[in-house]
Amino acid sequence: MNIYLVRHGDVHNVNKIFYERLPRFKLSEKGKRQISQTAEYLLDKKIDSIYTSPLLRTRQTAGIIQRALGIPQVSITKEVIEIKSSFRGKSLHVLQEMNFDFFFSSMRDSQDETMEQIVERMQKSIRN
C-alpha cells in the first residue's frame, strides 16, 4: 500500500494571517492550478481513497483531485486537520520573526498541540 500525503494549494489570505484551523479560507486561483498539477501527477498512481480535513481549502483540494482521478467519494476526517496553535489569527510577520517555530517558541501556549500529538493523530488516521 502507498499513501500519498498532499497539502492544500495556495490559499486566498489577503490579511496575511496564520489561518491554521480558521474556517472559510479557500484556495486561490494559483492554489487551484497547483492542485490540478498535483492531480495530473497522481493520475497513474492507482489511488482508491481520498481523505481530507473538514476545512474548506482541503475539501476544495480533495475535490479537484477526486474529479481528476474519478474517485467516487471523499472521506472527511478531523485526524488530518491543521495543527492546534495559539498563534491562530496572528500576523504572518509575527511568525516569521520566530521562524515559524510553533513547537519550541517561548511564546507558545501550554494548550498548543505538540509534535508528538500531531504524529499520534496522523498515525491514527493512517491506521484507520
Side-chain angles (χ1 to χ4, degrees), residues 20-33:
E20 190 228 48
R21 293 182 181 189
L22 292 172
R24 297 183 294 280
F25 277 83
K26 62 183 180 178
L27 292 178
S28 66
E29 290 305 313
K30 176 183 177 182
K32 291 175 186 176
R33 288 190 304 274

Side-chain angles (χ1 to χ4, degrees), residues 73-86:
Q73 147 181 345
V74 171
S75 299
I76 298 174
T77 175
K78 291 182 181 178
E79 256 101 36
V80 296
I81 200 164
E82 294 275 0
I83 179 178
K84 178 184 174 193
S85 169
S86 59

Side-chain angles (χ1 to χ4, degrees), residues 68-109:
L69 275 56
I71 294 175
Q73 147 181 345
V74 171
S75 299
I76 298 174
T77 175
K78 291 182 181 178
E79 256 101 36
V80 296
I81 200 164
E82 294 275 0
I83 179 178
K84 178 184 174 193
S85 169
S86 59
F87 298 105
R88 178 187 313 140
K90 296 204 185 303
S91 165
L92 290 179
H93 179 70
V94 170
L95 293 148
Q96 286 170 336
E97 288 179 359
M98 56 183 254
N99 294 320
F100 291 88
D101 186 357
F102 305 108
F103 303 106
F104 299 105
S105 169
S106 61
M107 297 169 48
R108 85 184 294 279
D109 186 277

Side-chain angles (χ1 to χ4, degrees), residues 27-68:
L27 292 178
S28 66
E29 290 305 313
K30 176 183 177 182
K32 291 175 186 176
R33 288 190 304 274
Q34 290 170 330
I35 297 306
S36 291
Q37 290 173 338
T38 301
E40 283 181 42
Y41 170 79
L42 294 170
L43 276 172
D44 65 346
K45 303 297 186 237
K46 299 181 182 177
I47 294 174
D48 301 317
S49 308
I50 297 176
Y51 295 84
T52 183
S53 83
L55 298 171
L56 175 59
R57 62 192 170 273
T58 62
R59 288 184 288 119
Q60 289 175 315
T61 297
I64 292 168
I65 295 171
Q66 174 195 23
R67 287 186 293 280

